[in-house]
Amino acid sequence: MMTEGCERERNAIIESLPEKEGLRFAALCHKTSLSQGDILCESNQDLQTAYFPTSGVVSLAMVLDSRSPLELGLIGRDGMLGATLSLGTFAAPMRAVVQVSGTSLMMTTAQLEQELRASPQLLEAVHHYEFRLMMQTLQTAACIHFHEIEPRLARWLLMTQELSLADTVPLTHIQLAHALGVQRSGVTIAAGSLHRRGLISYSRGEIRILDHAGLECAACECHASLINRYRVVFGKDPEPKPELPSKMSTGILQSTD
């Protein structure tokens, strides 16, 4: 279902625009639902639609031969799918799949191209996000190579929670293993270790973050490094952190494949 003339939604790129400009831009968008597993684009495929998520998480993955896709980036309400359009590139660099269900504003790439030419503020916001996304993919590639599964899992849980703004996240072990680029057994061992340390709990397929600060300490430095790099380059945080519904955050990690 899509509706025209959306009210201003909470997407960081749109929120960064001046009030009047943000309202005008949002009114040009359609609102759509994002369902887990939806493929929004394939790598090297020309993008027809740009997405500005307002909730949920979109995974960016590289596909090589017949191997399982390797996740290199996450998009949430902090950014958009289709930022490369600001560089004059319509071809998608990676496959985009909805990892966590949510909602998004959407606009045809043809219309977005016109908006980018007409609005210096929008072009600057998209360029800033494109740089941040590039840093994220490079950091993730290094993280996969050098860091152990457990700190990577902690980082992934924190990042997904921040982007999705959701209390629960339905994922199977195999989906999370694909996201981290590891075997399913590795995810089970890492989650068990975080549980024994009192950072998370899980039962009947539910994983609950018990100690957010402790999980941040358990995570590798990649997430904090990205925020610090963005602050150095642009002199500000990528976006204000939203308040969580409660001190205790919850996610679901289903045990079935």
Side-chain angles (χ1 to χ4, degrees):
M1 296 293 292
M2 295 180 291
T3 57
E4 297 185 26
C6 304
E7 295 182 359
R8 191 170 187 177
E9 298 280 347
R10 288 190 55 80
N11 173 276
I13 291 178
I14 299 175
E15 287 284 312
S16 70
L17 300 175
E19 182 73 19
K20 185 176 180 180
E21 176 67 12
L23 289 170
R24 185 193 68 80
F25 184 84
L28 296 175
C29 294
H30 302 277
K31 186 175 181 179
T32 187
S33 297
L34 302 176
S35 299
Q36 187 182 62
D38 284 353
I39 298 177
L40 303 183
C41 68
E42 292 284 2
S43 60
N44 299 319
Q45 180 186 72
D46 280 354
L47 282 166
Q48 302 299 318
T49 305
Y51 294 85
F52 297 82
T54 54
S55 63
V57 178
V58 175
S59 169
L60 297 178
M62 287 296 297
V63 182
L64 297 176
D65 304 324
S66 59
R67 297 177 175 85
S68 297
L70 179 62
E71 183 180 280
L72 290 176
L74 294 174
I75 299 173
R77 62 171 296 279
D78 65 321
M80 63 176 291
L81 174 63
T84 52
L85 191 65
S86 67
L87 306 176
T89 302
F90 279 82
M94 289 181 277
R95 173 187 288 179
V97 182
V98 178
Q99 185 78 276
V100 179
S101 298
T103 57
S104 178
L105 297 181
M106 57 186 291
M107 173 183 285
T108 65
T109 52
Q111 187 171 19
L112 178 58
E113 189 179 28
Q114 295 177 8
E115 291 297 315
L116 288 169
R117 287 198 298 263
S119 174
Q121 297 97 331
L122 177 63
L123 182 62
E124 180 182 37
V126 174
H127 277 164
H128 283 191
Y129 177 69
E130 178 62 22
F131 181 79
R132 184 185 175 204
L133 186 60
M134 179 185 70
M135 289 193 299
Q136 183 192 151
T137 56
L138 292 173
Q139 188 85 37
T140 300
C143 182
I144 291 171
H145 183 75
F146 291 111
H147 292 157
E148 298 295 331
I149 298 175
E150 184 177 327
R152 286 170 51 203
L153 173 59
R155 174 189 64 82
W156 194 94
L157 290 173
L158 290 169
M159 188 172 182
T160 302
Q161 180 190 53
E162 291 174 7
L163 292 177
S164 67
L165 299 181
D167 289 336
T168 59
V169 181
L171 284 174
T172 64
H173 276 198
I174 195 65
Q175 287 173 317
L176 189 50
H178 286 167
L180 296 175
V182 299
Q183 297 294 321
R184 180 189 171 190
S185 58
V187 171
T188 301
I189 293 170
S193 176
L194 294 176
H195 170 67
R196 288 190 296 274
R197 294 167 62 181
L199 304 181
I200 65 172
S201 67
Y202 52 88
S203 61
R204 295 184 180 179
E206 183 176 276
I207 184 169
R208 182 184 298 269
I209 297 175
L210 301 177
D211 184 349
H212 191 276
L215 198 61
E216 286 182 329
C217 292
C220 58
E221 67 271 19
C222 290
H223 188 38
S225 177
L226 284 173
I227 294 175
N228 291 334
R229 288 185 184 182
Y230 191 94
R231 189 179 294 126
V232 168
V233 173
F234 298 113
K236 60 181 180 180
D237 289 334
E239 64 165 327
K241 282 191 175 182
E243 292 185 6
L244 296 175
S246 63
K247 293 183 178 179
M248 185 176 294
S249 304
T250 304
I252 288 181
L253 183 60
Q254 297 174 354
S255 58
T256 57
D257 289 342

